[in-house]
Amino acid sequence: MISHRESNTQRIAGLDARAEALRLKPGMGIAEARAMHPDIDVVEADPEADRRLLEGLADWCDRYTPLVALDGVDGLFLDISGCAHLFGGEKALLNDLMMRFFHQGFDVRAGLASTPGAAWAAARFASGQILAPGNERNFLIRLPLSALRIDVKTKASLESVGLRTVGAIMDGPRAPLVRRFGAELMERLDQALGRLEEAISPRLPIAPLSVERHLADPLSLVDDIERLISLLAVTLKVDLERREEGARGLELLLFRVDGMVSRITVGASRPIREPALVRRLFHERLATLGDTIDAGFGFDLVRLSALSTARFDARQADLAGEVEDGGEELAIFADRIGARLGETAVLEAVPVESHLPERAAPARPYAREEARKEMVERPATGAPTATRRPRPADRPIRLFRQPEPIDVPATEVPDGPPLNFRWRRALHRVARAEGPERIAPEWWREAADAPTRDYYRIEDAEGRRYWLYRQGLYTTQAVPRWFLHGVFA
């Protein structure tokens, strides 16, 4: 028996079959139940653990359909439209689902109907029944009001006036019932009868393309999984070629025989569809996961899905049969490193429309041209577009994420470079200097009185070269501040 606290009182939240046989009911106080049966076992409810378990069961039900939705705290909706024939029909699918849940230790109740409302009622009041389309009325007419999924308060109000079955609601006048008990009552009835459409919102996005393999002998070795990935990728390639697309995101689902599901995803910086490359990416990912994937008694279903796709532009080979690389090797290298270490392991500087160095080339995960164009920031309305980019030699090879303050005791002239500066408690004497390069504030982003920056390329007496700037001018009332922004090679 499971208990939960309600209004400072411990009450029964759930019962097993033996507790129900003792005439105990949900909502009864624990003290009253113990007075009737002192030997009962009571366990405190754990809603978060129940939620995780229900989500795990929803993951496992993906083997039947990708359209799986959570129903409250104790149910699931599966839209099997177009999927039943893969399992030998609706009856075979329902029997397989209930049998597998039984072997996993769950006392499951399931029903099948053409409307979610009727299926919900069949699962809870006639488990295992399959309702033919159009037979919802005859089935619901004998059931109690709870079959309509109405709240407890409305149900109690209906029972207080003698309306105790769904049939009594069907035969009653609609307008008075709506005025007295609310529109939800008739809405639930119409949904169950199919008069009103009720959509099921799947908990996970549906992949555009998926291929899978049911296994009579479960797999447990990583090498066997990788070989199966290659076979599935060959089938997926045919579907991608038909759509003239390539995969940008791939997901591997491993369904364990005891109900656990492992999801492994990899991304590609350019659209791919070659089986060898798909296997190589998952090889890197599986090598990273290592022992974190528990095969248990093995995986009996493996599914490979293309989560996102993009147009695949085939390149023409020359007369020698060679195709220009076009950066493909670099893309493959970045994808493999990303699969093993994460997408932030390989970064690239992406130019954006900004005058400030820290904004002009932010480091972002490596991506091909089409994705890079989407990431380029556009200036705000009224902002000028940069017409000149500084030469690469003008910028240091290492740019700090945030400029670091330095102490400058003296300069040659009020607006000239420093004679020496102190950075990280070390004094550096300036031997040579170039500049200034003035960068004005971006008035469309910052305040109108934001200070300007004067950048200098500095070489100290030991030959080390730095990129520093003065923020503000000595002609203003505020004292200018100096910062070190980067170092040259």
Side-chain angles (χ1 to χ4, degrees):
M1 186 169 62
I2 300 175
S3 69
H4 72 108
R5 181 168 293 276
E6 180 182 334
S7 301
N8 295 325
T9 303
Q10 287 293 117
R11 297 188 179 277
I12 298 176
L15 300 166
D16 60 8
R18 294 177 60 186
E20 289 179 347
L22 298 176
R23 296 185 178 182
L24 300 177
K25 297 180 180 181
M28 181 183 293
I30 295 297
E32 181 183 356
R34 286 193 183 278
M36 297 171 57
H37 305 282
D39 297 333
I40 58 175
D41 292 330
V42 182
V43 178
E44 182 70 21
D46 188 349
E48 184 60 30
D50 293 341
R51 182 74 176 184
R52 291 195 301 268
L53 175 61
L54 188 62
E55 290 178 349
L57 297 178
D59 281 340
W60 180 83
C61 286
D62 279 352
R63 68 190 299 129
Y64 297 105
T65 172
L67 299 172
V68 180
L70 301 181
D71 175 39
V73 298
D74 62 351
L76 297 172
F77 274 123
L78 278 67
D79 187 348
I80 62 170
S81 302
C83 301
H85 69 280
L86 300 175
F87 299 88
E90 295 177 347
K91 183 64 175 177
L93 186 151
L94 188 62
N95 290 340
D96 182 77
L97 182 145
M98 298 182 69
M99 180 268 294
R100 289 178 181 272
F101 270 124
F102 174 78
H103 287 303
Q104 294 175 26
F106 294 99
D107 181 15
V108 64
R109 300 176 182 180
L112 199 153
S114 57
T115 66
W120 190 94
R124 285 161 174 77
F125 296 94
S127 180
Q129 185 165 346
I130 300 177
L131 301 180
N135 198 37
E136 294 84 8
R137 178 182 177 86
N138 295 333
F139 171 71
L140 292 169
I141 197 170
R142 304 183 304 274
L143 298 183
L145 295 175
S146 301
L148 289 181
R149 298 177 291 169
I150 57 178
D151 60 80
V152 177
K153 184 178 179 180
T154 303
K155 175 177 174 292
S157 299
L158 288 166
E159 291 177 343
S160 66
V161 296
L163 302 176
R164 300 181 181 278
T165 64
V166 178
I169 303 299
M170 292 180 183
D171 297 334
R174 294 178 65 94
L177 288 173
V178 171
R179 283 197 301 269
R180 182 167 182 177
F181 302 104
E184 183 186 7
L185 175 63
M186 287 303 166
E187 179 181 349
R188 287 300 192 185
L189 178 62
D190 291 341
Q191 287 176 343
L193 296 176
R195 299 170 183 169
L196 188 63
E197 188 72 19
E198 181 180 2
I200 294 179
S201 300
R203 54 187 293 270
L204 296 175
I206 303 174
L209 292 173
S210 294
V211 291
E212 63 183 38
R213 180 70 62 87
H214 292 262
L215 305 169
D217 296 324
L219 298 179
S220 58
L221 299 179
V222 174
D223 292 341
D224 294 335
I225 295 174
E226 291 187 12
R227 281 193 289 269
L228 186 54
I229 291 174
S230 297
L231 297 177
L232 294 174
V234 172
T235 306
L236 187 63
K237 178 183 177 181
V238 176
D239 295 331
L240 290 170
E241 287 178 341
R242 186 178 64 254
R243 295 161 59 111
E244 298 183 354
E245 293 178 340
R248 291 294 303 272
L250 293 162
E251 181 182 50
L252 180 68
L253 275 75
L254 304 174
F255 294 83
R256 220 165 66 180
V257 294
D258 60 354
M260 298 297 294
V261 181
S262 297
R263 294 178 180 270
I264 305 170
T265 59
V266 296
S269 56
R270 60 164 50 183
I272 61 173
R273 59 192 186 196
E274 287 300 323
L277 183 54
V278 173
R279 176 175 178 173
R280 193 181 305 175
L281 292 179
F282 278 107
H283 170 78
E284 301 291 349
R285 187 63 179 151
L286 291 170
T288 303
L289 297 175
D291 296 335
T292 59
I293 299 180
D294 184 8
F297 293 103
F299 305 106
D300 63 343
L301 174 61
V302 179
R303 178 183 299 159
L304 179 63
S305 302
L307 296 180
S308 60
T309 60
R311 181 175 177 80
F312 189 91
D313 295 324
R315 296 189 300 277
Q316 179 67 43
D318 57 19
L319 295 178
E322 298 180 356
V323 180
E324 184 180 354
D325 183 356
E328 182 175 357
E329 290 299 325
L330 177 60
I332 294 175
F333 170 78
D335 292 342
R336 293 183 64 186
I337 296 298
R340 183 178 284 266
L341 303 178
E343 64 175 8
T344 59
V346 181
L347 303 176
E348 64 174 342
V350 182
V352 300
E353 294 292 350
S354 177
H355 298 286
L356 299 181
E358 62 268 26
R359 293 177 182 168
R364 300 181 180 178
Y366 179 83
R368 292 301 300 165
E369 288 80 6
E370 61 273 7
R372 189 182 297 115
K373 292 177 182 177
E374 296 175 358
M375 292 191 297
V376 172
E377 295 181 2
R378 300 299 179 188
T381 303
T385 301
T387 57
R388 174 192 176 271
R389 290 288 184 185
R391 299 186 305 274
D394 294 343
R395 296 291 182 258
I397 192 170
R398 180 187 176 192
L399 191 70
F400 297 154
R401 182 171 298 178
Q402 293 292 336
E404 299 185 8
I406 59 176
D407 182 25
V408 177
T411 60
E412 293 182 356
V413 293
D415 290 336
L419 298 176
N420 54 67
F421 63 93
R422 189 177 298 277
W423 175 50
R424 295 181 179 177
R425 300 184 180 180
L427 181 64
H428 300 267
R429 299 190 181 279
V430 177
R432 298 177 182 83
E434 295 180 1
E437 175 193 343
R438 178 162 294 181
I439 297 180
E442 296 178 338
W443 53 264
W444 59 94
R445 293 176 182 266
E446 304 177 17
D449 58 348
T452 60
R453 297 182 184 182
D454 283 352
Y455 278 86
Y456 295 90
R457 292 180 293 277
I458 300 296
E459 182 178 327
D460 65 8
E462 286 75 23
R464 294 185 289 264
R465 302 181 68 233
Y466 306 91
W467 200 45
L468 50 85
Y469 69 89
R470 182 188 65 247
Q471 182 175 279
L473 302 173
Y474 285 101
T475 57
T476 60
Q477 294 181 354
V479 178
R481 301 175 61 194
W482 287 85
F483 296 88
L484 184 65
H485 205 161
V487 294
F488 292 90

